[in-house]
């Protein structure tokens, strides 16, 4: 029942939230969600899809999510964006909060910027007028920051002007010859920053030591132990919940695994949209106080759905392993076989993260497609 309630909420939400070529409309899955140059939106604007382009003017806040998001227009409010690849080359009047695998900012942000991703890059033309918070694998600050900059990364590079203090925690810190820090430079790490002789730091340079007895290597060893324990707990919990789910809804589970087998592209595409767009919509409810309960409930249901959606993708992999795809076959053994393989592979760095992402995307997308088809069938039979 929980799974059905979750997907019904998502199904009801996504079509209403998607904005496309014109306000109050939505683009089909294969089309781009576009706000063209010259178009003006009065009020907040929502844009979701595989490709999102915002070239017009938004006189309000912008909420966008997709595989690739391009913002080269003007937003006279806040920007909240999530996507695999996000490019901001336009103008944001107020705050910008951006998350993605690859985040590139070459435009102007009028107030504060919060950026997170595997690769975060402020180009030379980028301007953040107030404070910057950036976190990721590699953070490159080639743009200017009007006040403080706080950075957490494995590798951080500064090559432009930071008007006030810089606080950085990173394995590697580099200040190029173009870097200027108007205040203090404070850093956490075992190695001192690499500062070019032409770089300028007007304030004090202070190293904040790691806690006594700790080191980067020791922290990594601790993370390995935590990861193994988490993997074991995850295996047991997924095993129990998966077996219960397959026992309670065996027919629907076969429908979902068949969708992955017969329509993998649709499953992957809709899974990507649902995974990225749903939390953005939920957070938009949260920040609007009168809709706070709806946003909190949606986030809780979203988390449960993402967790359970893996069961279907894992079961499909198990069906391939033991070659059981007949309708009369039990799904329990394929699920267990697939779960064992999934749990072992998920321990491999990088590969495990990619595998988990694909499992969620295929499972969530197939669940969404199957639920839509089921509801359409029930409507044809006048049962809903």
């Amino acid at each position: 029942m929980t799974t059905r309630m979750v997907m019904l909420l998502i199904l009801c939400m996504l079509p209403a939230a998607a904005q496309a070529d014109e306000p109050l409309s939505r683009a089909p899955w294969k089309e781009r969600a576009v706000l063209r140059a010259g178009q003006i939106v009065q009020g907040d604007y929502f844009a979701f899809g595989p490709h999102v382009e915002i070239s017009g003017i938004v006189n309000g806040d912008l909420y966008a999510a997709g595989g690739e998001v391009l913002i080269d227009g003007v937003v006279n409010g806040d920007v909240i964006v999530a996507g695999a690849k996000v490019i901001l080359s336009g103008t944001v009047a107020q705050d910008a909060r951006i998350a993605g695998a690859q985040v590139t900012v070459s435009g102007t942000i009028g107030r504060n910027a919060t950026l997170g991703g595997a690769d975060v890059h402020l180009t030379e033309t980028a301007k953040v007028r107030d404070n910057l918070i950036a976190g990721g694998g590699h953070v490159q600050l080639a743009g200017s920051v009007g006040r403080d900059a706080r950075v957490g990364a494995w590798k951080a590079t500064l090559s432009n002007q930071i008007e006030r203090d810089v606080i950085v925690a990173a394995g590697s810190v580099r200040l190029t010859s173009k870097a200027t820090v108007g205040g203090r430079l404070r850093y956490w790490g075992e190695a001192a920053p690499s500062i070019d002789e032409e770089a300028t730091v007007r304030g004090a340079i202070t190293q904040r030591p790691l806690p006594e007895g700790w080191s980067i290597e020791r922290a990594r060893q601790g993370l390995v132990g935590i990861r193994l324990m988490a993997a074991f707990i995850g295996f047991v919990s997924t095993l129990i919940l998966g077996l219960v789910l397959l026992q309670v809804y065996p027919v629907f589970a076969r429908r979902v695994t068949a969708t992955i087998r017969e329509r993998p592209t649709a499953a992957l595409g809709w899974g990507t949209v649902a995974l990225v767009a749903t939390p953005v919509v939920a957070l938009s409810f949260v920040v609007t106080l009168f809709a706070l309960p709806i946003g909190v409930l949606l986030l809780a249901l979203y988390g449960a759905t993402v967790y359970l959606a893996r069961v279907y993708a894992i079961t499909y992999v198990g069906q391939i392993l033991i070659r059981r795809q007949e309708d009369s076959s039990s799904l329990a053994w394929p699920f267990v076989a697939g779960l064992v393989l999934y749990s072992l592979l998920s321990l491999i760095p990088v590969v495990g993260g990619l595998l988990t992402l694909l499992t969620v995307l295929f499972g969530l997308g197939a669940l969404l497609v199957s639920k839509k088809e089921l509801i359409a069938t029930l409507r044809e039979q006048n049962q809903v």
Side-chain angles (χ1 to χ4, degrees), residues 291-367:
L292 177 62
I294 298 176
V296 173
L297 176 61
L298 189 57
L299 285 173
L301 294 176
Y302 168 77
T305 303
V306 168
Y307 188 83
L308 293 175
R310 299 177 308 147
V311 171
Y312 302 109
I314 290 172
T315 302
Y316 170 67
V317 172
Q319 287 179 320
I320 296 176
L321 289 175
I322 63 177
R323 299 180 180 179
R324 285 191 181 182
Q325 299 181 5
E326 300 83 1
D327 292 342
S328 59
S329 300
S330 172
L331 296 177
W333 284 115
F335 169 67
V336 173
L339 180 60
V340 171
L341 178 62
Y342 167 82
S343 299
L344 292 175
L345 293 178
S346 63
L347 294 174
I348 303 175
V350 181
V351 174
L354 180 60
L355 176 64
T356 299
L357 177 61
L358 290 175
T359 301
V360 170
L361 292 179
F362 277 106
L364 186 60
L367 182 60

Side-chain angles (χ1 to χ4, degrees), residues 99-128:
Q102 181 179 350
V103 176
T104 303
V105 177
S106 58
T108 300
I109 298 174
R111 293 179 59 185
N112 304 306
T114 303
L115 313 175
D119 185 7
V120 177
H121 185 197
L122 265 69
T123 68
E124 293 183 355
T125 60
K127 293 182 180 180
V128 178

Side-chain angles (χ1 to χ4, degrees), residues 41-373:
V41 175
Q42 301 295 342
D44 298 342
Y45 189 72
F46 296 81
F48 304 128
H51 301 277
V52 177
E53 298 175 4
I54 307 298
S55 301
I57 299 175
V58 179
N59 291 321
D61 298 336
L62 170 66
Y63 301 88
E68 182 176 347
V69 181
L70 169 63
I71 304 171
D72 58 359
V74 176
V75 179
N76 292 315
D78 294 339
V79 165
I80 299 177
V81 177
K85 181 179 181 181
V86 180
I87 300 174
L88 171 58
S89 59
T91 300
V92 178
Q94 298 186 36
D95 298 333
R97 301 174 181 87
I98 302 175
Q102 181 179 350
V103 176
T104 303
V105 177
S106 58
T108 300
I109 298 174
R111 293 179 59 185
N112 304 306
T114 303
L115 313 175
D119 185 7
V120 177
H121 185 197
L122 265 69
T123 68
E124 293 183 355
T125 60
K127 293 182 180 180
V128 178
R129 300 199 184 276
D130 285 344
N131 300 305
L132 168 70
I133 298 176
H138 186 194
V139 176
Q140 303 176 70
L141 302 185
S144 61
V145 178
R147 299 183 70 180
D148 298 332
R150 292 174 170 83
V151 178
W154 287 112
K155 181 179 181 182
T157 304
L158 282 68
S159 56
N160 207 321
Q161 184 167 357
I162 311 296
E163 292 290 346
R164 298 196 345 187
D165 296 344
V166 173
I167 302 174
V168 57
S172 170
V173 181
R174 170 67 176 168
L175 274 67
T176 71
S177 59
K178 295 182 178 181
T180 300
V181 178
R184 297 172 295 174
L185 172 61
R186 292 184 289 172
Y187 66 94
W188 278 260
E190 296 179 324
S194 172
I195 303 177
D196 190 273
E197 60 182 11
E198 297 294 328
T200 301
V201 180
R202 295 192 173 94
I205 300 177
T206 307
Q207 180 181 13
R208 295 298 181 92
L210 296 171
E212 184 177 355
W214 281 87
S215 65
I216 298 297
E217 184 61 30
R218 186 168 182 178
R220 288 176 178 172
Q221 292 175 358
L223 288 175
V224 170
I226 294 174
R227 186 176 181 184
L228 290 174
M229 179 61 69
F232 175 74
I233 296 174
F235 174 84
V236 175
S237 60
T238 303
L239 178 64
I240 296 173
L241 291 175
L243 291 175
V244 171
L245 182 64
L246 297 177
Q247 179 66 29
V248 175
Y249 300 111
V251 176
F252 183 70
R254 290 191 181 91
R255 180 193 291 263
V256 178
T257 56
T259 299
I260 299 176
R261 181 173 63 253
E262 298 168 3
R263 303 172 60 187
T265 303
L268 180 61
W270 281 111
T272 302
V273 171
L275 184 69
V276 175
T278 306
V280 175
V281 173
L283 289 175
S284 70
F285 288 146
V286 170
V287 298
T288 307
L289 294 180
F290 71 88
L292 177 62
I294 298 176
V296 173
L297 176 61
L298 189 57
L299 285 173
L301 294 176
Y302 168 77
T305 303
V306 168
Y307 188 83
L308 293 175
R310 299 177 308 147
V311 171
Y312 302 109
I314 290 172
T315 302
Y316 170 67
V317 172
Q319 287 179 320
I320 296 176
L321 289 175
I322 63 177
R323 299 180 180 179
R324 285 191 181 182
Q325 299 181 5
E326 300 83 1
D327 292 342
S328 59
S329 300
S330 172
L331 296 177
W333 284 115
F335 169 67
V336 173
L339 180 60
V340 171
L341 178 62
Y342 167 82
S343 299
L344 292 175
L345 293 178
S346 63
L347 294 174
I348 303 175
V350 181
V351 174
L354 180 60
L355 176 64
T356 299
L357 177 61
L358 290 175
T359 301
V360 170
L361 292 179
F362 277 106
L364 186 60
L367 182 60
L368 183 60
V369 171
S370 300
K371 179 61 67 173
K372 289 177 63 178
E373 293 176 347

